[in-house]
Every structure is written in C-alpha cells, then in structure tokens.
Amino acid sequence: MGADNRIEMRYSYRRGFSWLLLFTVLALVPLGIALVGPIPAARSFWIELGVALGFIALAIFGLQFLFSGRFHWIAPTFGMDNIIHFHRKMGIIAFFFILAHPIILILADTEFLLYFDPRVNLLRAIALSYVSVALIGITVTSIWRMAFKLSYEKWRLLHGFLSLSIVFVGVVHSIQVSHYMDPLWKKIALAALMGACMYLVLHTRLVRPWLNRKKPYRVTKVNDERDECWTLTLKPESGRKMAFKPGQFAWITVNESPFSLQQHPFSFASSARAETISFTAKESGDFTSTFKEIPVGAKVYLEGPFGSFTPEPDSHLFLVMGGIGITPGMSMLRTMRDDKDPRKAILLYASKKWKDVTFREELTEISKEIDLRIIHVIEDVPDEEELPEDVDGEGGRIDEEMLAKYLPEHPEKYMYFICGPGPLMDVVEIGLNNLGIDWRRIYSERFEIV
Ligand SMILES: Cc1cc2nc3c(=O)[nH]c(=O)nc-3n(C[C@H](O)[C@H](O)[C@H](O)COP(=O)(O)OP(=O)(O)OC[C@H]3O[C@@H](n4cnc5c(N)ncnc54)[C@H](O)[C@@H]3O)c2cc1C
C-alpha cells in the first residue's frame, strides 16, 4: 500500500462522516428510549419540539464526556486539536438546545413556568434554577476563562463539576417529569446510559490516576536549553518505558500523587527509541516556571501516549515549527536519526532571535546523519547576529511565499506537520492548502488549548 492511501485512511471524509453519523445516532438514543413502546398522546408541535430538544441536549452533554475523556480508541482517530474544537462546538450546541428546552415550552404554554415555582415543588425549582445558572456559568467560563482570571486547574475542576451536576439534574428531571419515561425500564435505561457517561469522567480523573500510581518515573536530569526552555529527562522506576510514536504527547504530573490537579500535556521530545523520556517546556505560567526547580529524583507520572500528530512510515516529512513547537519535531528527527531512516525531511523552524534557537546545534548534528534540510526563519535578524554561513536561513516570518519557495519537488510524497504559535499555524495551514496541499496531509498540534 502506498503512502497516499495510508494517509487518506487516517483522515478521510468517509471516516469523518461515519463518526458524525455515530455521534448523531448516540445523541438520539435518550429520545429513542423516550419514544419506544406505548407513549402518551401527542401535544402541540412546539411542546413536543421543546421536549425533544431537552433529551437531545442531555445526550450531547453525556457524549462530551466520552469525546473529551482521553480515550485511546477515540483520541488517535482525530487528534487533540480536532477533538477540542469539536468539544467546544458541541458544548455551544448543547447550551442552546438546553436553553431552548424551557423557553419553547414556556412560550408554548405558560403552565410550564410552574416548574420554576418553589411553592409548587421547592426542590425541583431549586434544581432547575441551578441548572440554568450552571449552564450559563459553564459556557461563560469556558469562552472567557482568561477574562475571569481563572487558572486552568480551577477552571477544569469547575468545568467537570458543573457538567456532571447539569447531567445529573437533567436525568433526575426527565425521570421525575415521567411523561415519556413512564415504564420503570425506561427510567433505568436512561439513568444507566447517562450514569455510564458520567462514570467516564470519574474514570479519567480518579480510576486512571489510581491505576497509574504504580508506574512512576524519576527525574534523572534537568537541562537548561535556551530561551527559558528546560528539559526534563525521566526514567521509569519499573524499567518499562511508555511506548510512544514520535509526535505524540503525554499528560504529566510532577508530584507525589498521580491525582494532582496540576496535570499538563507535553509532547515527547526524545527519540521513541531512547531508554529515557524527555520533555522540554518553555516557561509560560505557574507550572512551566517550576520545571527548572524540579529536583533530580522527583517522582513524575505520565498518562498517555495521545495524539495523531505522527508520521506514516513511508512518507517524507515537511515540518513547519515555531518556538517551543519544535518539541514534537525533535522527537521525529531524533527517532529518524536513531533508526538511520532514509526518508527526506525538511524543517522550517521559526524563532524570534538566532541566539535563542533551541536545539540548533543538535539539529545541525542530526542533519549530518539523515537527509534533513533545515531552514531557520529568524524574525529579528540584527546585523551582529546574522546567521552563520553554513546555516540556511530567512529573515522575517513564514508566509505563503516562503512556503512555496521551500516546497519539495514531489509534495504529494510528504506529510506536513505544523506546531508553533497560533498565528504561525493559521498562516501555514492556509498557505499550504492554497499551494495545493491536500488537507488530509496537513497535521497540526496546537499547544494553546483554551
Ligand atoms: C498536545 C500539547 C502538547 C504540548 N507540548 C508542549 C511542549 O512540548 N512544551 C511546552 O512548553 N508546552 C507544551 N504544551 C503547552 C503546555 O501544556 C502549557 O504550556 C502548560 O500546560 C502551561 O501551564 P502553566 O501552568 O505553566 O501556564 P498557565 O499560565 O497556567 O497556562 C498557560 C496556557 O497553557 C494551557 N494550559 C495550562 N494548563 C494546562 C493543562 N493542565 N492542560 C492543558 N493546557 C493547559 C492553557 O491554554 C493556558 O492558558 C503542550 C500543549 C498541548 C495541548
């Protein structure tokens, strides 16, 4: 099988369509449960629509746990980037569906306002009012987390708590209203289905860390790279290293406990063949600023590997990376060096200043061992810091014209990997596509996820 076919197999319209179809079918399951068997006589179109939207929204909320739960059988199919985009879009759709549920019902029949009346049923009124506030809270804090100055860890805790409580109230509400849920088996089926979705969150947050507690790593080295970047080298205590593909990432916890909220994703920077694992972080916030202070011997827990930002064995590599976005590229190139891989690789590596280019000496060394062409793209090129004569380089920023200049002779034989600051990635994704590169060959890994 040729490289073309394999690449199309990973990202294809057919595969995307199948998953979308599966998602749609699953999103309709609670509604299906409600409609199965003898059901009460139909009311007005608007009332039935309002009710249907409520069931669908509940299902979408449940599916959010499935798609964002870092499950190996889902994550590699799409890549982290796409899953997060999908999670966000679906969250917004579920928000509007849930909101539309009471609004349509109340507009169709004001009697439904009684659901919020504490004099009729205090507990129900509190629960439904809570869900309305929680729903606005979860949406607003997800879209404007930075504006609220919420740390990522606190936001994640709040996000998990709000979503679990919204689904819980939703299930109790459907069972309690009971209009379509009358036979007991329907109540049990809905509760079991949504309970399974909620368990996925507990699995990710509690069960998986618990299983992981027996597989700690120890820090063996902390290296100062340039430009406020630090490399942690880890050795598995058990002697069995996590197997990963170059380009993938893991969630890391530096702590005595695998349950810590401080769990962060980092791309593997080391060769997939090395005995140790290394991650390189650029100081950007409270966790990454402590990298340099992590003592040798500290315990580290890894969860992974994740991601589909990985080359196929028989395609050449065109890498466009900027700043700390070089880490997955380092893993790919280090692995190619260790494998004595005959494939071609082209690296366009964007940095602010030449003096800050992380790993530049090692990259030059690797280029002597494999068929690697490196083009350093330096944004500020002051006179006294011009590139050495033997270094291929450009000044300024990467744009479509520059991509066209370095595009290989047979672009269809390459896979394109982009990782770096958001604006660079946007320009390169669009630029490559404008230059005729099929989107199925273009892979992106975004480090800024919220
Ligand atoms: C797939 C992937 C691979 C990554 N690989 C690397 C790498 O090799 N080297 C590197 O320096 N950085 C990498 N990052 C980014 C790294 O995860 C964040 O820089 C780090 O989590 C920031 O944490 P902080 O507390 O230092 O900064 P903060 O100021 O707390 O956060 C800065 C930003 O980082 C993101 N972030 C923070 N905490 C988390 C978290 N727990 N989970 C997810 N995102 C978070 C948020 O977008 C936040 O706005 C990667 C990110 C992803 C998604």
Side-chain angles (χ1 to χ4, degrees), residues 7 10-11 308-312 315-321 332 346 348 403-404 406-419 425 428-429 431-433 435-445:
I7 295 164
R10 182 156 3 145
Y11 282 179
S308 56
F309 191 69
T310 53
E312 292 291 341
S315 64
H316 302 299
L317 275 61
F318 190 91
L319 313 177
V320 186
M321 314 208 132
M332 293 176 196
I346 298 170
L348 260 82
L403 290 171
Y406 293 104
L407 221 52
E409 208 178 317
H410 291 286
E412 74 286 355
K413 293 188 174 161
Y414 283 72
M415 284 175 84
Y416 298 77
F417 293 93
I418 311 167
C419 188
M425 297 187 63
V428 176
E429 281 168 1
L432 286 174
N433 209 235
L435 292 168
I437 307 301
D438 190 320
W439 66 268
R440 284 166 290 189
R441 296 175 174 281
I442 304 174
Y443 291 76
S444 298
E445 189 78 284

Side-chain angles (χ1 to χ4, degrees), residues 181-253:
M181 286 282 141
D182 201 18
L184 182 65
W185 74 261
K186 284 195 181 186
K187 293 184 173 68
I188 294 174
L190 185 74
L193 191 71
M194 301 312 295
C197 291
M198 289 161 83
Y199 168 75
L200 296 178
V201 180
L202 301 180
H203 183 88
T204 305
R205 300 280 171 249
L206 298 175
V207 179
R208 216 179 293 151
W210 187 76
L211 295 173
N212 220 358
R213 78 199 186 288
K214 287 197 178 139
K215 298 181 225 161
Y217 285 70
R218 292 279 178 187
V219 174
T220 56
K221 250 191 296 179
V222 184
N223 281 4
D224 182 356
E225 311 292 352
R226 299 195 172 87
D227 197 22
E228 299 177 324
C229 292
W230 300 83
T231 297
L232 273 194
T233 305
L234 310 175
K235 211 172 170 174
E237 233 177 35
S238 66
R240 286 188 55 203
K241 189 196 85 170
M242 176 183 289
F244 65 90
K245 289 186 192 164
Q248 287 191 300
F249 68 94
W251 292 81
I252 84 168
T253 310

Side-chain angles (χ1 to χ4, degrees), residues 70 80-81 84 145-146 150-153 156 229-230 247-251 261-269 279-291 306 324-328 419 445-450:
R70 307 182 206 160
M80 173 95 165
D81 223 29
I84 286 167
R145 176 176 70 83
M146 301 297 235
L150 257 183
S151 76
Y152 188 84
E153 291 72 36
R156 213 169 70 166
C229 292
W230 300 83
Q248 287 191 300
F249 68 94
W251 292 81
L261 271 180
Q262 282 279 9
Q263 200 190 26
H264 295 256
F266 285 91
S267 297
F268 293 96
F279 297 99
T280 301
K282 180 161 173 71
E283 291 185 27
S284 69
D286 53 351
F287 178 69
T288 41
S289 333
T290 60
F291 245 60
F306 294 105
I324 193 63
I326 191 66
T327 51
C419 188
E445 189 78 284
R446 286 180 191 262
F447 284 0
E448 302 116 0
I449 60 173
V450 180

